[in-house]
Amino acid sequence: VRIDPFEIERYYERWEFAAELMLSSSDCESLSVADLFALEPDAERRLAELRLGYTEVAGSRELRAAAAALYASAGEDDILTVAAAEEGLFLAFQALLAPGDEAIVEVPCYGSPLALARSAGAAVLPWRRRLEDGWRHDLDELAALVGERTRLIYVNSPHNPTGQALDADDYARVVEVARERGIILVCDEVYRGLEHDEAARLDAGVDAYEHAVSLGAVSKAHGLPGLRVAWLASRDGTALAAMRELKLYTTICSSAPAELLLAVALRHDAELVRRSRGFVLAHLPLIDALLARHGDIFSWVRPTAGPIGFPRISGVGDVRGWCEGIAAEHGVLLLPGYVYGMDDHVRLGFGRADTGAAVERLEAALA
Ligand SMILES: Cc1ncc(COP(=O)(O)O)c(C=O)c1O
């Protein structure tokens, strides 16, 4: 596979474990294995007794049942487990796109959809959201991008990096546009549940549209990024089968211990998501205050969903160099916007328990 460098993950590979405090992470405070054991009385025993044989390609029945229960319309056979959301994106873009296809990808976005679509030989049509519009989607622009060769549309709500949720009417329109031509809609829902106002939660893609592929994970809203297992849900049997076929070349089947622990977590979905939302809602005012004190350099559209936001930044010179200097000298990590192709922004994250300490550290750096 020929593929562009993944700038976000390259940056984190360099800095995430070198800086003491994270003020840009997209995950929420993580849980321990013991925390998961505490959710169900027999979880620890079941894990200890688990035989480490190969697992079913589509995922264990137990896990698929737990994932399907999150949706109104999906059954166990509509679920495919994957080794993390990242594998889910890889399978979706590589299996569902071919040379000559066009893929519409909302930008800015987590880098892999753009790179994966290109590496599959598809032409990528960026659907741009702009700060000046409050990051709102431009539906006329979407209609103008769709054509005879459009095979796939990628949307991500809650959104990385802006922290905005797709508006419900706009979402309905996106589904309508996709349905008119039977276009596959990849709904990246890895931040689902972290809408600041729970009423803003959208129906999952798999429930909204028969050719949607929902990507679900527990890395962000459940505090379990190290589990490295996630799932795809789709009622489009042909699309699901194509992704399952490709999985035979990536991981064949997922990690048995991770599948067991993920099933435990998903049976307690609401409780785990509530805990993460608690961190997000408690810390957002700290970021508000920080940005208000430094209005000379930061301006933003306040996030409404998820643990991250994407302020514009000015007056600091080279933003990447500025961020790296702060990481090296003060031990607090921001994510410079160049990784999204937007040099004059930084990503801030506020889902970790030590967000207060990270804000104080940044204050000291700014002083
Ligand atoms: C929108 C989006 N999709 C997918 C992923 C990949 O998630 P995971 O780390 O669980 O593989 C990320 C990670 O940051 C993300 O932000």
Side-chain angles (χ1 to χ4, degrees):
V1 177
R2 290 179 187 282
I3 193 156
D4 295 334
F6 198 156
E7 296 296 353
I8 298 175
E9 299 303 344
R10 272 183 152 184
Y11 193 83
Y12 273 128
E13 184 184 13
R14 163 68 185 87
W15 288 105
E16 181 168 2
F17 296 95
E20 187 194 338
L21 292 165
M22 294 286 283
L23 194 53
S24 58
S25 50
S26 60
D27 54 343
C28 293
E29 185 65 17
S30 48
L31 293 166
S32 66
V33 176
D35 292 332
L36 284 185
F37 287 162
L39 293 171
E40 291 183 358
D42 63 342
E44 182 169 4
R45 179 191 56 77
R46 289 185 57 224
L47 186 69
E49 290 175 2
L50 180 72
R51 300 208 69 82
L52 295 173
Y54 281 105
T55 59
E56 278 191 63
V57 172
S60 71
R61 293 234 154 249
E62 178 191 351
L63 173 52
R64 285 188 284 141
L70 303 176
Y71 306 112
S73 64
E76 283 171 33
D77 293 340
D78 301 321
I79 306 291
L80 174 67
T81 68
V82 286
E86 192 59 36
E87 187 189 21
L89 289 172
F90 186 89
L91 297 183
F93 283 83
Q94 292 286 325
L96 303 178
L97 288 171
D101 289 342
E102 289 180 354
I104 297 175
V105 176
E106 68 164 309
V107 292
C109 71
Y110 185 64
S112 50
L114 290 169
L116 288 167
R118 286 190 196 113
S119 87
V124 175
L125 309 188
W127 181 24
R128 186 158 291 283
R129 307 170 67 158
R130 296 177 181 83
L131 178 70
E132 300 72 43
D133 304 332
W135 299 122
R136 184 93 190 246
H137 290 87
D138 182 335
L139 276 305
D140 293 336
E141 200 172 312
L142 176 67
L145 289 172
V146 170
E148 287 299 312
R149 287 156 66 183
T150 311
R151 168 85 175 127
L152 183 155
I153 299 173
Y154 168 85
V155 288
N156 164 221
S157 182
H159 183 237
N160 176 357
T162 66
Q164 304 299 315
L166 185 51
D167 171 84
D169 291 338
D170 291 353
Y171 183 41
R173 182 68 193 129
V174 173
V175 169
E176 214 173 274
V177 167
R179 186 174 276 135
E180 272 162 25
R181 291 173 184 259
I183 296 167
I184 287 177
L185 184 62
V186 174
C187 297
D188 185 332
E189 295 165 355
V190 302
Y191 297 93
R192 191 155 187 265
L194 292 179
E195 298 78 9
H196 300 177
D197 172 3
E198 280 176 291
R201 189 164 312 158
L202 301 171
D203 287 343
V206 65
D207 289 331
Y209 175 42
E210 57 282 8
H211 295 299
V213 176
S214 279
L215 174 62
V218 288
S219 302
K220 317 296 181 183
H222 303 71
L224 297 166
L227 208 47
R228 305 319 286 155
V229 64
W231 66 97
L232 295 159
S234 182
R235 289 182 284 144
D236 182 329
T238 309
L240 203 66
M243 295 186 287
R244 200 176 57 241
E245 283 291 321
L246 188 57
K247 184 182 172 184
L248 300 177
Y249 284 102
T250 51
T251 54
I252 305 174
C253 59
S254 303
S255 151
E259 284 201 346
L260 188 152
L261 291 174
L262 177 57
V264 170
L266 291 186
R267 287 193 288 268
H268 301 271
D269 170 69
E271 181 184 339
L272 300 186
V273 170
R274 199 176 314 119
R275 168 186 175 275
S276 296
R277 264 183 79 248
F279 284 115
V280 167
L281 294 178
H283 296 153
L284 185 52
L286 304 180
I287 307 288
D288 279 332
L290 172 81
L291 298 199
R293 283 193 296 273
H294 298 280
D296 50 332
I297 55 175
F298 294 114
S299 59
W300 78 346
V301 177
R302 193 175 194 263
T304 59
I308 50 179
F310 200 49
R312 179 177 278 166
I313 182 160
S314 58
V316 301
D318 162 35
V319 174
R320 177 180 181 174
W322 183 78
C323 290
E324 289 181 341
I326 289 177
E329 287 163 37
H330 300 272
V332 58
L333 191 64
L334 313 179
L335 182 64
Y338 84 90
V339 298
Y340 293 92
M342 297 182 74
D343 288 342
D344 56 348
H345 285 260
V346 288
R347 189 177 89 184
L348 299 180
F350 38 88
R352 297 269 181 102
D354 56 8
T355 300
V359 168
E360 277 174 24
R361 193 70 71 83
L362 179 60
E363 275 292 1
L366 293 172

Short mmCIF file of all heavy atoms in Angstrom, two decimals, residues 50-79:
data_model
loop_
_atom_site.label_atom_id
_atom_site.label_comp_id
_atom_site.label_asym_id
_atom_site.label_seq_id
_atom_site.Cartn_x
_atom_site.Cartn_y
_atom_site.Cartn_z
N LEU A 50 -10.21 -17.56 29.81
CA LEU A 50 -10.35 -17.48 28.36
C LEU A 50 -9.23 -18.25 27.66
O LEU A 50 -8.06 -18.08 27.98
CB LEU A 50 -10.29 -16.00 27.94
CG LEU A 50 -10.43 -15.70 26.45
CD1 LEU A 50 -11.88 -15.93 26.00
CD2 LEU A 50 -10.04 -14.24 26.17
N ARG A 51 -9.60 -19.08 26.72
CA ARG A 51 -8.57 -19.80 25.95
C ARG A 51 -8.16 -18.90 24.78
O ARG A 51 -9.01 -18.32 24.11
CB ARG A 51 -9.12 -21.13 25.43
CG ARG A 51 -9.58 -22.04 26.57
CD ARG A 51 -9.49 -23.50 26.19
NE ARG A 51 -8.11 -23.95 26.08
CZ ARG A 51 -7.35 -24.32 27.11
NH1 ARG A 51 -7.82 -24.28 28.33
NH2 ARG A 51 -6.12 -24.73 26.91
N LEU A 52 -6.85 -18.82 24.56
CA LEU A 52 -6.35 -17.86 23.57
C LEU A 52 -6.24 -18.49 22.18
O LEU A 52 -5.18 -18.48 21.54
CB LEU A 52 -5.02 -17.27 24.04
CG LEU A 52 -5.17 -16.42 25.31
CD1 LEU A 52 -3.82 -15.98 25.84
CD2 LEU A 52 -6.06 -15.21 25.06
N GLY A 53 -7.35 -19.06 21.74
CA GLY A 53 -7.41 -19.57 20.37
C GLY A 53 -7.79 -18.44 19.42
O GLY A 53 -8.05 -17.31 19.85
N TYR A 54 -7.81 -18.75 18.12
CA TYR A 54 -8.33 -17.77 17.15
C TYR A 54 -9.78 -17.47 17.50
O TYR A 54 -10.49 -18.30 18.06
CB TYR A 54 -8.27 -18.34 15.74
CG TYR A 54 -6.89 -18.29 15.11
CD1 TYR A 54 -6.13 -19.44 14.99
CD2 TYR A 54 -6.39 -17.10 14.63
CE1 TYR A 54 -4.87 -19.41 14.41
CE2 TYR A 54 -5.13 -17.06 14.04
CZ TYR A 54 -4.39 -18.21 13.93
OH TYR A 54 -3.15 -18.16 13.35
N THR A 55 -10.22 -16.27 17.09
CA THR A 55 -11.62 -15.90 17.32
C THR A 55 -12.34 -15.87 15.97
O THR A 55 -11.70 -15.97 14.92
CB THR A 55 -11.71 -14.51 18.00
OG1 THR A 55 -11.08 -13.55 17.14
CG2 THR A 55 -11.02 -14.52 19.35
N GLU A 56 -13.66 -15.72 16.03
CA GLU A 56 -14.43 -15.63 14.77
C GLU A 56 -14.01 -14.39 13.99
O GLU A 56 -13.80 -13.33 14.58
CB GLU A 56 -15.93 -15.52 15.08
CG GLU A 56 -16.60 -16.83 15.38
CD GLU A 56 -18.11 -16.66 15.40
OE1 GLU A 56 -18.70 -16.30 14.36
OE2 GLU A 56 -18.69 -16.87 16.47
N VAL A 57 -13.94 -14.52 12.67
CA VAL A 57 -13.50 -13.40 11.83
C VAL A 57 -14.38 -12.17 12.07
O VAL A 57 -13.89 -11.04 12.24
CB VAL A 57 -13.52 -13.81 10.34
CG1 VAL A 57 -13.26 -12.60 9.44
CG2 VAL A 57 -12.49 -14.90 10.08
N ALA A 58 -15.67 -12.34 12.12
CA ALA A 58 -16.59 -11.21 12.28
C ALA A 58 -16.58 -10.66 13.70
O ALA A 58 -17.07 -9.56 13.95
CB ALA A 58 -18.01 -11.63 11.90
N GLY A 59 -15.99 -11.42 14.65
CA GLY A 59 -16.02 -11.02 16.05
C GLY A 59 -16.80 -12.03 16.87
O GLY A 59 -17.66 -12.72 16.32
N SER A 60 -16.53 -12.10 18.16
CA SER A 60 -17.25 -13.08 18.99
C SER A 60 -18.74 -12.73 19.01
O SER A 60 -19.12 -11.57 18.91
CB SER A 60 -16.69 -13.06 20.42
OG SER A 60 -17.08 -11.87 21.07
N ARG A 61 -19.57 -13.75 19.15
CA ARG A 61 -21.02 -13.53 19.21
C ARG A 61 -21.36 -12.59 20.37
O ARG A 61 -22.19 -11.71 20.27
CB ARG A 61 -21.78 -14.84 19.42
CG ARG A 61 -21.67 -15.75 18.26
CD ARG A 61 -23.06 -16.21 17.74
NE ARG A 61 -22.91 -16.54 16.34
CZ ARG A 61 -23.44 -15.83 15.35
NH1 ARG A 61 -24.19 -14.78 15.58
NH2 ARG A 61 -23.23 -16.17 14.10
N GLU A 62 -20.65 -12.81 21.50
CA GLU A 62 -20.93 -11.99 22.69
C GLU A 62 -20.68 -10.51 22.38
O GLU A 62 -21.50 -9.65 22.71
CB GLU A 62 -20.02 -12.45 23.83
CG GLU A 62 -20.21 -11.61 25.09
CD GLU A 62 -19.15 -11.85 26.15
OE1 GLU A 62 -18.33 -12.78 26.02
OE2 GLU A 62 -19.15 -11.07 27.14
N LEU A 63 -19.56 -10.23 21.72
CA LEU A 63 -19.24 -8.84 21.42
C LEU A 63 -20.19 -8.26 20.37
O LEU A 63 -20.68 -7.13 20.50
CB LEU A 63 -17.79 -8.71 20.94
CG LEU A 63 -17.39 -7.32 20.43
CD1 LEU A 63 -17.73 -6.24 21.44
CD2 LEU A 63 -15.91 -7.28 20.10
N ARG A 64 -20.50 -9.05 19.35
CA ARG A 64 -21.39 -8.52 18.31
C ARG A 64 -22.78 -8.24 18.88
O ARG A 64 -23.43 -7.28 18.49
CB ARG A 64 -21.44 -9.47 17.12
CG ARG A 64 -20.15 -9.36 16.29
CD ARG A 64 -20.21 -10.14 15.02
NE ARG A 64 -20.05 -11.55 15.23
CZ ARG A 64 -20.71 -12.49 14.57
NH1 ARG A 64 -21.62 -12.16 13.67
NH2 ARG A 64 -20.48 -13.76 14.79
N ALA A 65 -23.21 -9.06 19.83
CA ALA A 65 -24.52 -8.81 20.46
C ALA A 65 -24.46 -7.52 21.27
O ALA A 65 -25.38 -6.70 21.22
CB ALA A 65 -24.91 -9.98 21.35
N ALA A 66 -23.35 -7.32 22.00
CA ALA A 66 -23.22 -6.10 22.82
C ALA A 66 -23.15 -4.86 21.94
O ALA A 66 -23.74 -3.82 22.27
CB ALA A 66 -21.98 -6.20 23.71
N ALA A 67 -22.48 -4.96 20.80
CA ALA A 67 -22.38 -3.80 19.89
C ALA A 67 -23.73 -3.54 19.22
O ALA A 67 -24.19 -2.40 19.13
CB ALA A 67 -21.29 -4.03 18.85
N ALA A 68 -24.39 -4.62 18.76
CA ALA A 68 -25.67 -4.45 18.07
C ALA A 68 -26.71 -3.81 18.99
O ALA A 68 -27.58 -3.05 18.54
CB ALA A 68 -26.17 -5.80 17.56
N ALA A 69 -26.59 -4.08 20.29
CA ALA A 69 -27.57 -3.53 21.24
C ALA A 69 -27.49 -2.00 21.34
O ALA A 69 -28.41 -1.36 21.85
CB ALA A 69 -27.34 -4.15 22.62
N LEU A 70 -26.40 -1.42 20.81
CA LEU A 70 -26.28 0.05 20.84
C LEU A 70 -27.13 0.70 19.77
O LEU A 70 -27.30 1.92 19.76
CB LEU A 70 -24.82 0.46 20.62
CG LEU A 70 -23.78 -0.09 21.59
CD1 LEU A 70 -22.39 0.33 21.16
CD2 LEU A 70 -24.07 0.39 23.01
N TYR A 71 -27.63 -0.09 18.81
CA TYR A 71 -28.34 0.47 17.65
C TYR A 71 -29.78 -0.02 17.62
O TYR A 71 -30.10 -1.10 18.14
CB TYR A 71 -27.63 0.03 16.36
CG TYR A 71 -26.16 0.39 16.34
CD1 TYR A 71 -25.18 -0.60 16.37
CD2 TYR A 71 -25.75 1.72 16.32
CE1 TYR A 71 -23.83 -0.27 16.36
CE2 TYR A 71 -24.41 2.05 16.31
CZ TYR A 71 -23.45 1.06 16.34
OH TYR A 71 -22.12 1.39 16.34
N ALA A 72 -30.63 0.76 16.97
CA ALA A 72 -32.04 0.38 16.85
C ALA A 72 -32.24 -0.68 15.78
O ALA A 72 -33.13 -1.53 15.90
CB ALA A 72 -32.88 1.62 16.54
N SER A 73 -31.41 -0.65 14.72
CA SER A 73 -31.74 -1.48 13.55
C SER A 73 -30.70 -2.54 13.23
O SER A 73 -30.90 -3.32 12.31
CB SER A 73 -31.90 -0.57 12.33
OG SER A 73 -30.67 0.06 12.06
N ALA A 74 -29.58 -2.57 13.95
CA ALA A 74 -28.52 -3.53 13.59
C ALA A 74 -28.64 -4.79 14.42
O ALA A 74 -28.91 -4.73 15.62
CB ALA A 74 -27.15 -2.89 13.78
N GLY A 75 -28.42 -5.93 13.78
CA GLY A 75 -28.33 -7.19 14.50
C GLY A 75 -26.89 -7.66 14.54
O GLY A 75 -26.01 -7.03 13.95
N GLU A 76 -26.67 -8.80 15.21
CA GLU A 76 -25.29 -9.33 15.33
C GLU A 76 -24.60 -9.49 13.98
O GLU A 76 -23.40 -9.29 13.86
CB GLU A 76 -25.34 -10.73 15.96
CG GLU A 76 -25.58 -10.72 17.44
CD GLU A 76 -25.84 -12.15 17.95
OE1 GLU A 76 -25.27 -13.12 17.39
OE2 GLU A 76 -26.63 -12.26 18.87
N ASP A 77 -25.39 -9.86 12.96
CA ASP A 77 -24.78 -10.12 11.65
C ASP A 77 -24.43 -8.83 10.90
O ASP A 77 -23.85 -8.89 9.81
CB ASP A 77 -25.72 -10.98 10.79
CG ASP A 77 -25.85 -12.37 11.40
OD1 ASP A 77 -24.97 -12.75 12.20
OD2 ASP A 77 -26.84 -13.06 11.09
N ASP A 78 -24.79 -7.70 11.47
CA ASP A 78 -24.46 -6.42 10.84
C ASP A 78 -23.20 -5.80 11.45
O ASP A 78 -22.88 -4.64 11.19
CB ASP A 78 -25.63 -5.44 11.01
CG ASP A 78 -26.91 -5.99 10.39
OD1 ASP A 78 -26.83 -6.60 9.32
OD2 ASP A 78 -27.99 -5.82 11.01
N ILE A 79 -22.52 -6.58 12.30
CA ILE A 79 -21.34 -6.06 13.01
C ILE A 79 -20.09 -6.80 12.56
O ILE A 79 -20.10 -8.02 12.38
CB ILE A 79 -21.50 -6.28 14.55
CG1 ILE A 79 -22.81 -5.68 15.09
CG2 ILE A 79 -20.28 -5.74 15.31
CD1 ILE A 79 -22.91 -4.18 15.09
#
